[in-house]
Amino acid sequence: MFTTRPEITGTFGVAASTHWLATGVAMSVLERGGNAFDAAVAAGFTLQVVEPHLNGPGGEVPMLIAPAGQETKVVCAQGVAPQAATLEAFNTLGLTMVPGTGLLATVVPGAFDAWLMLLRDHGTWTLSDVLEPALHYLEHGQPLLPTTADVIARLEGLFTTEWPTSAAVYLPDGSPPKAGALFRNPRLAKTYRTLADHADATKGSRETGIDAARTLWRAGFVAEAIDRFCASTEAMDTSGERHKGLLTGDDIGGWSATYEDPVTFDYHGYTVCKTGPWGQGPVFLQQLAVLAGFDLGHMDPNGVEFIHTVVESTKLAFADREAFYADPKFADVPLDTLLSDEYARERRGLITDEASLDLRPGSIPGHGGPIGTGDSAPAHGQDLGEFGAGEPTVAKSGATRGDTCHLDVIDRWGNIVSATPSGGWLQGSPVIPDLGFCLNTRAQMFWLDERSPNALAPGKRPRTTLTPSLALRDSKPYMAFGTPGGDQQDQWSLVFFLRHVHHGLNLQEAIDAPAFHSEHWPNSFYPRQAFPGRLVVEGRVGETVISELARRGHDIARGPDWSEGRLSACAADGDLLRAAANARGMQGYAAGR
């Protein structure tokens, strides 16, 4: 099997992420005695600096963690909708869809509080320790990625005419920075130094200092600056109008990150752990439940039968996502039924040799809702426009849309972290001048239809696409993995997992193998377009396979040979630690020793 690079193996520690600097930071923390949690937090803050078009302090970061000798947990860092974010408020504004950019789409930022909660409870370093690498790059500069430079250049007009606070940060000297140039953000550096200094000055334990910084964020100068900015700034968004934000300091102060039990599914000796249905993670498990009835191991991992079978199972799982998934604190999501053998058998029976062009959610009495009905229905093939806010892989396209990061770490003590930071993109909303960062636009994932389980409501989590993964093998924590890519995340990571489990591909081989994804259902991001039957494949899949898939009825969109996915993974395989990262986009790297 061809690979772009070797699978990393070692015994001391491994790390992998979507940016080589974050991977290097994680390994440097491990080398200096930190554990996997210290390393993940330091790398997470670094990703905010070096991939500002993919995540930021105003975003969110769901995680799966497996502390050595303890149960696997989900870290929920998905903030909730503001108290003023009601269906009536959007109806009054004449909106039938939450805008994809601007301030109306903002929910409570979750990343900072979650990283600090993880550091306090499972790390060993101080806040100043883990912030040091990020602060170095903020103050002394980091080499700007070509994709970041491309995004900024595309947004020059918007920044200049509508978002001047973003122009002040991202258009130094009045023009877009060049790729490879050292880029600094001294205002964000000041924000983080203030928080770190406050933690250091707080009397008491390391944990007390970290909690003091969390409080300063939620109830101090950070929340106050966000409150002022949202209340006073009318920002242009994808509706074509200018709107103020609904988020307040009280919203921020009333929320904190939490731990939850994962949703799990047992599959061929593995137990896969995912977030609850406030994320899309259970679709991975539903796909496994359907695919358990097929002999995937005897299918060519790059062949027609494998691709067709996986894609058809994916269509069924994502249709259920649209009909049933939502914040379980607000909606009764029937996960037990969705993951049951009986339900999977029924769904499996819908798969034939022909590609389905229909969106077919299951029927569970008393549950579910309409899928993009009425004025909020997704548009088939709608043009996203210059400032569309969908979430493809920006790392390759350079389009002015949001995307995501991912990182995995395993240390020599057996601690495992899988995290998917996102939101707070420089292209999502204007920079808050007192803080140096942008807010998220995650509320665009809500529907403005009261009949939908995922309808907008105050205090509710949007059904996010962010979906880290952690798998146990023979009941022992084994592998952390994930990818950016919005609706593609639980497609690319699924194919990676299946090829590793059924075909014996190592981590790098499974990442490098030709990939594909479906765009059959409503996209999770504004403007929620759908492409029934659309199957996007890398050209490396080959003409014979592509032709046969088309003959079966798939609407084939052929992508470049290396264009699908940005996976990374780390595994604890007996006495060996393994790691791999995606070569697509020439950005992700793994490290270890």
Side-chain angles (χ1 to χ4, degrees), residues 50 77 88 102 124-125 196 210 384 402 466 523 591:
V50 300
E88 293 75 17
T124 63
W125 283 23
I210 292 171
L384 291 176
L466 304 175
N523 192 284

Side-chain angles (χ1 to χ4, degrees), residues 163-290:
W163 295 359
T165 57
S166 294
V169 173
Y170 290 106
L171 302 177
D173 304 319
S175 60
K178 301 297 183 183
L182 289 179
F183 182 80
R184 301 170 177 83
N185 188 341
R187 179 59 261 187
L188 178 55
K190 184 176 180 182
T191 295
Y192 274 156
R193 284 220 173 269
T194 300
L195 291 160
D197 289 346
H198 183 69
D200 288 342
T202 300
K203 294 182 179 180
S205 65
R206 181 188 71 92
E207 293 81 0
T208 300
I210 292 171
D211 276 338
R214 295 174 73 193
T215 300
L216 187 60
W217 175 283
R218 292 202 304 257
F221 77 100
V222 175
E224 292 167 358
I226 293 173
D227 187 304
R228 287 193 304 271
F229 190 72
C230 287
S232 63
T233 303
E234 291 189 334
M236 177 64 71
D237 58 43
T238 53
S239 72
E241 302 291 337
R242 299 177 183 88
H243 296 105
K244 294 181 180 179
L246 301 175
L247 185 66
T248 69
D250 287 342
D251 293 319
I252 298 169
W255 179 89
S256 62
T258 55
Y259 296 106
E260 298 180 0
D261 291 329
V263 180
T264 64
F265 188 79
D266 293 333
Y267 183 83
H268 286 265
Y270 295 81
T271 300
V272 181
C273 304
K274 301 293 285 187
T275 72
W278 53 265
Q280 76 175 16
V283 300
F284 189 112
L285 309 182
Q286 282 197 250
Q287 291 172 93
L288 290 181
V290 171

Side-chain angles (χ1 to χ4, degrees), residues 386-403:
E386 184 180 2
F387 304 121
E391 193 180 60
T393 49
V394 168
K396 296 181 296 298
S397 70
T400 54
R401 306 167 184 171
D403 201 357

Side-chain angles (χ1 to χ4, degrees), residues 294 299 303-312 315 351-357 533 535 544-556:
F294 293 95
M299 297 180 187
V304 172
E305 203 63 36
F306 178 83
I307 295 173
H308 174 81
T309 303
V310 170
V311 168
E312 293 304 300
K315 292 176 183 178
I351 298 177
T352 69
D353 289 339
E354 298 296 318
S356 171
L357 300 181
L535 172 58
T544 301
V545 171
I546 290 173
S547 295
E548 175 59 19
L549 289 168
R551 190 194 66 78
R552 291 190 179 206
H554 296 280
D555 175 20
I556 301 295

